[in-house]
Amino acid sequence: MPEHDASARIGRLEEQLRVQRRSLVGAALLGAVIGLAGFVEQEPSVIRTRGIVIVDDMGRERILIGAPIPPARNRVRTDLKRVEGLWASRYPDPKQYMRWYADYRHTMHGMLVLDENGFDRLAIGDSTPDPNVGKRIGAGPGLDINDAQGFERTGYGLMTVAGKDRVTLGLDSKNGTEGLTLTVRDDGHTGVRIDGGEGQAIFLGTTPTGIGGGKRDPITGLLIRQGERDVHRLSLDTAPPR
Protein backbone atom coordinates (compact mmCIF):
# COMPACT_ATOMS: atom_id res chain seq x y z
CA MET A 1 0.00 0.00 0.00
CA PRO A 2 1.35 3.41 -0.93
CA GLU A 3 2.56 5.47 1.96
CA HIS A 4 0.09 8.33 1.34
CA ASP A 5 -2.89 5.88 1.35
CA ALA A 6 -1.78 4.40 4.66
CA SER A 7 -1.48 7.87 6.20
CA ALA A 8 -4.98 8.77 4.95
CA ARG A 9 -6.50 5.64 6.48
CA ILE A 10 -4.74 6.27 9.80
CA GLY A 11 -6.06 9.83 9.78
CA ARG A 12 -9.63 8.63 9.20
CA LEU A 13 -9.32 6.03 12.00
CA GLU A 14 -8.01 8.66 14.43
CA GLU A 15 -10.94 10.97 13.56
CA GLN A 16 -13.41 8.11 14.12
CA LEU A 17 -11.85 7.38 17.52
CA ARG A 18 -12.14 11.05 18.53
CA VAL A 19 -15.83 11.08 17.53
CA GLN A 20 -16.45 7.86 19.44
CA ARG A 21 -14.67 9.20 22.54
CA ARG A 22 -16.77 12.38 22.44
CA SER A 23 -19.94 10.29 22.07
CA LEU A 24 -18.96 8.05 24.99
CA VAL A 25 -18.17 11.04 27.21
CA GLY A 26 -21.50 12.65 26.34
CA ALA A 27 -23.38 9.43 27.04
CA ALA A 28 -21.56 9.05 30.36
CA LEU A 29 -22.44 12.61 31.40
CA LEU A 30 -26.08 12.15 30.43
CA GLY A 31 -26.23 8.93 32.43
CA ALA A 32 -24.71 10.65 35.45
CA VAL A 33 -27.27 13.47 35.27
CA ILE A 34 -30.15 11.02 35.03
CA GLY A 35 -28.72 8.99 37.89
CA LEU A 36 -28.28 11.99 40.14
CA ALA A 37 -31.78 13.19 39.37
CA GLY A 38 -33.08 9.99 40.90
CA PHE A 39 -31.46 10.90 44.21
CA VAL A 40 -32.80 14.47 44.32
CA GLU A 41 -35.61 14.69 46.90
CA GLN A 42 -38.87 15.39 45.16
CA GLU A 43 -41.82 17.05 46.90
CA PRO A 44 -44.34 14.24 47.52
CA SER A 45 -47.90 14.87 46.42
CA VAL A 46 -49.37 12.29 48.82
CA ILE A 47 -48.03 10.91 52.12
CA ARG A 48 -49.69 7.74 53.39
CA THR A 49 -49.06 6.72 56.98
CA ARG A 50 -50.96 5.59 60.10
CA GLY A 51 -49.46 8.02 62.56
CA ILE A 52 -46.89 10.70 63.27
CA VAL A 53 -45.31 11.61 66.63
CA ILE A 54 -43.52 14.96 66.89
CA VAL A 55 -41.14 15.45 69.81
CA ASP A 56 -39.56 18.58 71.27
CA ASP A 57 -35.84 19.26 71.77
CA MET A 58 -35.96 17.21 75.00
CA GLY A 59 -37.40 14.17 73.24
CA ARG A 60 -40.86 14.53 74.80
CA GLU A 61 -43.90 13.64 72.69
CA ARG A 62 -45.74 16.90 71.96
CA ILE A 63 -47.92 16.38 68.87
CA LEU A 64 -49.73 13.14 67.96
CA ILE A 65 -51.27 12.82 64.51
CA GLY A 66 -53.02 9.73 63.27
CA ALA A 67 -56.11 7.69 62.56
CA PRO A 68 -56.16 6.85 65.39
CA ILE A 69 -53.48 8.93 67.10
CA PRO A 70 -50.42 6.90 68.14
CA PRO A 71 -49.67 6.26 71.83
CA ALA A 72 -47.30 8.48 73.81
CA ARG A 73 -45.30 7.35 76.84
CA ASN A 74 -45.56 10.74 78.53
CA ARG A 75 -49.33 11.19 78.07
CA VAL A 76 -51.11 11.56 81.42
CA ARG A 77 -54.48 10.30 80.20
CA THR A 78 -53.19 6.82 79.42
CA ASP A 79 -51.04 6.48 82.56
CA LEU A 80 -53.45 5.20 85.23
CA LYS A 81 -51.02 5.79 88.09
CA ARG A 82 -50.71 9.46 87.18
CA VAL A 83 -54.47 9.70 86.63
CA GLU A 84 -55.10 8.32 90.11
CA GLY A 85 -52.62 10.71 91.71
CA LEU A 86 -53.51 13.84 89.75
CA TRP A 87 -57.27 13.58 89.18
CA ALA A 88 -58.89 10.82 91.24
CA SER A 89 -57.47 12.27 94.46
CA ARG A 90 -59.64 15.38 93.94
CA TYR A 91 -62.83 13.38 94.44
CA PRO A 92 -64.37 12.10 97.70
CA ASP A 93 -64.23 8.52 96.37
CA PRO A 94 -61.09 8.11 94.21
CA LYS A 95 -61.80 4.43 93.57
CA GLN A 96 -65.23 5.23 92.15
CA TYR A 97 -63.67 7.86 89.88
CA MET A 98 -61.21 5.28 88.57
CA ARG A 99 -64.08 2.89 87.84
CA TRP A 100 -65.79 5.61 85.83
CA TYR A 101 -62.51 6.52 84.17
CA ALA A 102 -62.10 2.98 82.84
CA ASP A 103 -64.88 3.68 80.31
CA TYR A 104 -63.63 7.08 79.14
CA ARG A 105 -62.52 7.48 75.54
CA HIS A 106 -58.89 8.60 75.13
CA THR A 107 -58.22 8.05 71.44
CA MET A 108 -59.31 10.02 68.40
CA HIS A 109 -58.76 10.47 64.67
CA GLY A 110 -56.96 13.76 64.15
CA MET A 111 -54.31 15.78 66.00
CA LEU A 112 -53.59 16.02 69.73
CA VAL A 113 -51.17 18.52 71.27
CA LEU A 114 -49.54 17.69 74.63
CA ASP A 115 -47.69 20.07 76.92
CA GLU A 116 -44.26 19.34 78.39
CA ASN A 117 -45.87 17.50 81.32
CA GLY A 118 -47.93 15.17 79.14
CA PHE A 119 -51.35 16.82 79.64
CA ASP A 120 -53.74 17.01 76.70
CA ARG A 121 -54.01 20.69 75.74
CA LEU A 122 -55.55 20.81 72.24
CA ALA A 123 -57.53 18.15 70.37
CA ILE A 124 -58.82 18.55 66.81
CA GLY A 125 -60.48 15.70 65.00
CA ASP A 126 -63.31 13.22 64.71
CA SER A 127 -64.81 12.23 68.07
CA THR A 128 -62.29 13.92 70.36
CA PRO A 129 -61.43 12.28 73.72
CA ASP A 130 -63.90 12.42 76.60
CA PRO A 131 -63.28 15.11 79.22
CA ASN A 132 -61.56 13.76 82.34
CA VAL A 133 -64.73 14.52 84.35
CA GLY A 134 -67.18 12.36 82.41
CA LYS A 135 -68.17 10.76 79.11
CA ARG A 136 -69.63 12.80 76.28
CA ILE A 137 -73.29 12.15 75.54
CA GLY A 138 -72.55 11.74 71.84
CA ALA A 139 -69.83 11.47 69.23
CA GLY A 140 -68.78 13.83 66.49
CA PRO A 141 -66.01 16.06 65.12
CA GLY A 142 -64.79 19.00 67.14
CA LEU A 143 -62.11 21.09 68.80
CA ASP A 144 -61.29 20.97 72.54
CA ILE A 145 -58.94 23.13 74.61
CA ASN A 146 -57.79 22.06 78.10
CA ASP A 147 -56.09 23.91 80.93
CA ALA A 148 -52.64 23.16 82.37
CA GLN A 149 -54.07 20.30 84.47
CA GLY A 150 -55.85 18.62 81.56
CA PHE A 151 -59.39 19.83 82.39
CA GLU A 152 -61.49 20.94 79.43
CA ARG A 153 -62.16 24.70 79.42
CA THR A 154 -63.72 25.24 76.00
CA GLY A 155 -64.83 23.29 72.99
CA TYR A 156 -66.72 23.56 69.75
CA GLY A 157 -68.19 20.74 67.75
CA LEU A 158 -70.98 18.85 66.07
CA MET A 159 -72.43 16.04 68.17
CA THR A 160 -75.00 13.39 67.32
CA VAL A 161 -77.32 12.44 70.19
CA ALA A 162 -80.15 9.94 69.71
CA GLY A 163 -79.86 10.33 65.95
CA LYS A 164 -80.14 14.13 65.99
CA ASP A 165 -77.32 16.62 65.48
CA ARG A 166 -76.47 19.52 67.75
CA VAL A 167 -73.85 22.23 67.22
CA THR A 168 -72.40 23.55 70.48
CA LEU A 169 -69.86 26.10 71.61
CA GLY A 170 -69.05 25.65 75.30
CA LEU A 171 -66.98 27.55 77.85
CA ASP A 172 -66.38 25.61 81.06
CA SER A 173 -65.75 26.76 84.61
CA LYS A 174 -62.60 25.89 86.54
CA ASN A 175 -64.25 22.84 88.13
CA GLY A 176 -64.96 21.29 84.73
CA THR A 177 -68.68 22.04 84.57
CA GLU A 178 -70.33 24.08 81.84
CA GLY A 179 -70.25 27.85 82.41
CA LEU A 180 -71.71 29.14 79.15
CA THR A 181 -73.06 27.22 76.18
CA LEU A 182 -74.39 28.30 72.80
CA THR A 183 -76.36 25.49 71.18
CA VAL A 184 -78.34 24.86 68.01
CA ARG A 185 -80.06 21.47 67.87
CA ASP A 186 -82.09 19.60 65.27
CA ASP A 187 -84.98 19.20 67.74
CA GLY A 188 -85.63 22.97 67.70
CA HIS A 189 -83.60 23.94 70.78
CA THR A 190 -81.61 27.11 70.06
CA GLY A 191 -80.20 29.33 72.76
CA VAL A 192 -77.60 30.52 75.24
CA ARG A 193 -77.33 29.12 78.75
CA ILE A 194 -75.28 30.63 81.57
CA ASP A 195 -74.57 28.57 84.69
CA GLY A 196 -73.39 30.64 87.63
CA GLY A 197 -72.83 27.84 90.09
CA GLU A 198 -74.90 26.88 93.16
CA GLY A 199 -77.84 26.01 90.93
CA GLN A 200 -78.14 29.43 89.33
CA ALA A 201 -78.85 29.40 85.61
CA ILE A 202 -80.06 31.75 82.88
CA PHE A 203 -81.43 30.61 79.53
CA LEU A 204 -82.20 32.85 76.57
CA GLY A 205 -83.63 31.28 73.46
CA THR A 206 -86.22 28.79 72.35
CA THR A 207 -86.65 25.18 73.38
CA PRO A 208 -89.56 22.79 72.86
CA THR A 209 -88.37 20.44 75.61
CA GLY A 210 -87.41 22.77 78.47
CA ILE A 211 -83.92 23.21 79.84
CA GLY A 212 -83.83 20.29 82.25
CA GLY A 213 -84.65 19.77 85.90
CA GLY A 214 -87.91 20.74 87.55
CA LYS A 215 -90.37 22.23 85.09
CA ARG A 216 -89.57 21.24 81.53
CA ASP A 217 -92.10 23.47 79.81
CA PRO A 218 -91.33 24.77 76.32
CA ILE A 219 -90.18 28.37 76.24
CA THR A 220 -89.23 31.06 73.75
CA GLY A 221 -87.79 33.88 75.79
CA LEU A 222 -85.81 34.36 79.01
CA LEU A 223 -85.72 32.00 81.98
CA ILE A 224 -83.84 32.51 85.27
CA ARG A 225 -83.61 29.52 87.60
CA GLN A 226 -82.41 28.76 91.10
CA GLY A 227 -82.02 25.03 91.45
CA GLU A 228 -85.25 23.53 90.13
CA ARG A 229 -87.31 26.67 90.72
CA ASP A 230 -88.13 29.26 88.08
CA VAL A 231 -87.29 32.67 89.58
CA HIS A 232 -88.24 34.67 86.50
CA ARG A 233 -89.82 33.65 83.23
CA LEU A 234 -90.39 36.01 80.31
CA SER A 235 -91.72 34.31 77.22
CA LEU A 236 -94.09 34.90 74.34
CA ASP A 237 -96.99 33.45 76.30
CA THR A 238 -96.34 35.72 79.33
CA ALA A 239 -95.37 38.93 77.53
CA PRO A 240 -97.82 41.81 78.12
CA PRO A 241 -100.04 42.75 75.17
CA ARG A 242 -98.89 45.64 73.03
Side-chain angles (χ1 to χ4, degrees), residues 56-225:
D56 60 17
D57 55 359
M58 300 294 292
R60 296 169 296 202
E61 298 102 336
R62 299 298 297 273
I63 302 176
L64 312 177
I65 303 173
I69 56 172
R73 293 169 298 175
N74 193 45
R75 191 183 181 198
V76 171
R77 286 204 60 141
T78 51
D79 187 334
L80 294 182
K81 288 186 177 180
R82 296 182 71 185
V83 168
E84 187 172 9
L86 292 168
W87 295 334
S89 58
R90 298 174 178 232
Y91 291 84
D93 188 347
K95 292 184 178 180
Q96 179 60 59
Y97 173 84
M98 295 304 296
R99 287 192 288 269
W100 288 330
Y101 192 83
D103 293 329
Y104 291 178
R105 186 175 187 273
H106 310 299
T107 188
M108 63 177 290
H109 290 179
M111 181 182 74
L112 178 69
V113 178
L114 306 173
D115 68 9
E116 64 273 15
N117 298 312
F119 288 105
D120 289 20
R121 296 304 300 272
L122 172 66
I124 304 174
D126 184 15
S127 298
T128 54
D130 289 327
N132 58 3
V133 295
K135 291 180 65 66
R136 299 191 192 280
I137 61 174
L143 178 152
D144 304 322
I145 299 176
N146 300 337
D147 66 14
Q149 297 299 314
F151 288 87
E152 185 174 309
R153 294 304 303 268
T154 185
Y156 172 71
L158 171 67
M159 185 179 299
T160 303
V161 181
K164 294 183 179 296
D165 288 342
R166 57 181 65 181
V167 183
T168 302
L169 170 65
L171 285 75
D172 298 342
S173 62
K174 63 180 180 180
N175 60 5
T177 59
E178 292 179 342
L180 184 149
T181 56
L182 172 62
T183 306
V184 178
R185 302 187 338 203
D186 286 357
D187 62 4
H189 176 110
T190 300
V192 178
R193 174 166 175 159
I194 303 172
D195 289 275
E198 300 180 356
Q200 300 174 349
I202 300 173
F203 174 78
L204 176 63
T206 180
T207 174
T209 59
I211 65 170
K215 295 175 62 178
R216 298 181 62 86
D217 298 332
I219 183 175
T220 297
L222 172 69
L223 179 62
I224 300 176
R225 309 196 74 187

Side-chain angles (χ1 to χ4, degrees), residues 28 42-43 45 50-51 55-56 78 85 102 128 178 214 237:
Q42 302 294 323
E43 181 179 355
S45 58
R50 290 295 303 276
V55 300
D56 60 17
T78 51
T128 54
E178 292 179 342
D237 58 345

